[in-house]
């Protein structure tokens, strides 16, 4: 995850990219009973899920408020989404001493999306020399998605030419009913550093 931002006067441009390659696997055993009486049926399942995605935002912005300790930028641009989900499974079992045929399979779903976005971002400084600050970001959009929005807020400290920041970020997609993936959301904490030159 990273961001690049350049500004001259009140006008600026930013780009932000998030890449994820995550997965999980689960193994479980299930037995059956009716009315407390054990039925000689059991099944074992192994399931693996992998998700790979790239989310890329491009936006231009105008600094509407630029005071000491307080900034507000109005932005407009586009966000690109490329995601692929893969799942495979293997189910084995038996009825008493009679094995049943194994069941294996795999499925995947992928999509590519472009959405137009508008939003605001900035910071609110406080404390001595306004070195402490609260960064904030919010955008909404639509296009290939029915609706998408992203928000982030946190706490930072400015050390002159560089800053340390910790934020919580949330990104949501509501996708059309014809898409293989209906909706998605990503959220979590992030820490980072901003360097100015």
């Amino acid at each position: 995850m990273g961001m690049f931002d350049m500004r001259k006067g009140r006008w600026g441009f930013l780009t932000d990219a998030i890449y994820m390659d995550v997965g999980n696997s689960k193994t479980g055993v299930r037995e059956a009973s009716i009315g407390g009486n054990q039925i000689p049926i059991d099944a074992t399942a192994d399931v693996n899920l992998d998700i790979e995605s790239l989310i890329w935002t491009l936006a231009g912005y105008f600094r509407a408020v630029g005071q000491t300790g307080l900034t507000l930028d109005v932005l407009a641009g586009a966000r690109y989404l490329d995601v692929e989900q893969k799942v495979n499974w293997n189910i084995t079992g038996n009825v008493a001493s009679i094995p049943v045929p194994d069941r294996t399979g795999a499925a995947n779903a992928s999509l590519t999306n472009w959405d137009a976005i508008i939003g605001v971002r900035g910071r609110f400084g406080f404390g001595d020399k306004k070195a402490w600050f609260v960064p904030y970001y919010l955008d909404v959009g639509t296009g290939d998605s029915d609706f998408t929005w992203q928000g982030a807020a946190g706490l930072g400290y400015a050390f002159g030419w560089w800053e340390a920041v910790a934020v919580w970020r949330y990104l949501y997609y509501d996708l059309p009913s014809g898409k293989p993936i209906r909706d998605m959301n990503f959220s979590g904490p992030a820490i980072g550093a901003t360097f100015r030159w």
Side-chain angles (χ1 to χ4, degrees):
M1 181 170 64
M3 176 184 285
F4 178 77
D5 183 333
M6 63 181 182
R7 179 173 61 89
K8 182 169 183 174
R10 288 184 171 267
W11 295 95
F13 169 81
L14 67 88
T15 182
D16 174 80
I18 303 171
Y19 174 76
M20 289 178 282
D21 187 359
V22 296
N24 198 7
S25 61
K26 189 82 172 178
T27 299
V29 177
R30 182 75 178 188
E31 297 177 343
S33 64
I34 296 177
N37 297 316
Q38 190 72 27
I39 300 174
I41 299 172
D42 63 73
T44 301
D46 297 305
V47 181
N48 298 294
L49 173 67
D50 291 304
I51 302 172
E52 185 175 7
S53 61
L54 171 66
I55 303 164
W56 182 31
T57 302
L58 298 163
Y61 65 87
F62 176 75
R63 177 141 294 178
V65 177
Q67 302 172 0
T68 302
L70 178 64
T71 64
L72 171 66
D73 301 332
V74 179
L75 63 93
R79 183 158 51 242
Y80 172 75
L81 169 68
D82 183 18
V83 63
E84 182 174 17
Q85 298 180 354
K86 298 177 183 177
V87 63
N88 59 70
W89 62 88
N90 181 32
I91 301 172
T92 58
N94 58 62
V95 177
S97 61
I98 304 169
V100 297
D102 294 352
R103 295 288 184 262
T104 61
N108 74 11
S110 62
L111 62 87
T112 302
N113 240 43
W114 277 102
D115 294 297
I117 60 166
I118 58 171
V120 294
R121 68 165 198 167
R123 62 197 288 168
F124 173 74
F126 62 93
D128 187 34
K129 300 181 182 178
K130 308 294 185 186
W132 289 97
F133 62 92
V134 175
Y136 62 90
Y137 178 97
L138 177 66
D139 72 38
V140 296
T142 188
D144 289 336
S145 303
D146 286 341
F147 179 71
T148 180
W149 75 274
Q150 179 176 208
L155 183 65
Y157 187 84
F159 297 92
W161 62 275
W162 75 280
E163 300 168 350
V165 66
V167 298
W168 186 272
R169 188 173 187 174
Y170 183 86
L171 174 60
Y172 173 77
Y173 276 93
D174 181 14
L175 300 161
S177 58
K179 297 278 188 178
I181 301 170
R182 294 295 303 272
D183 60 22
M184 295 185 308
N185 65 74
F186 306 96
S187 64
I191 58 172
T194 301
F195 301 95
R196 302 182 184 278
W197 67 90

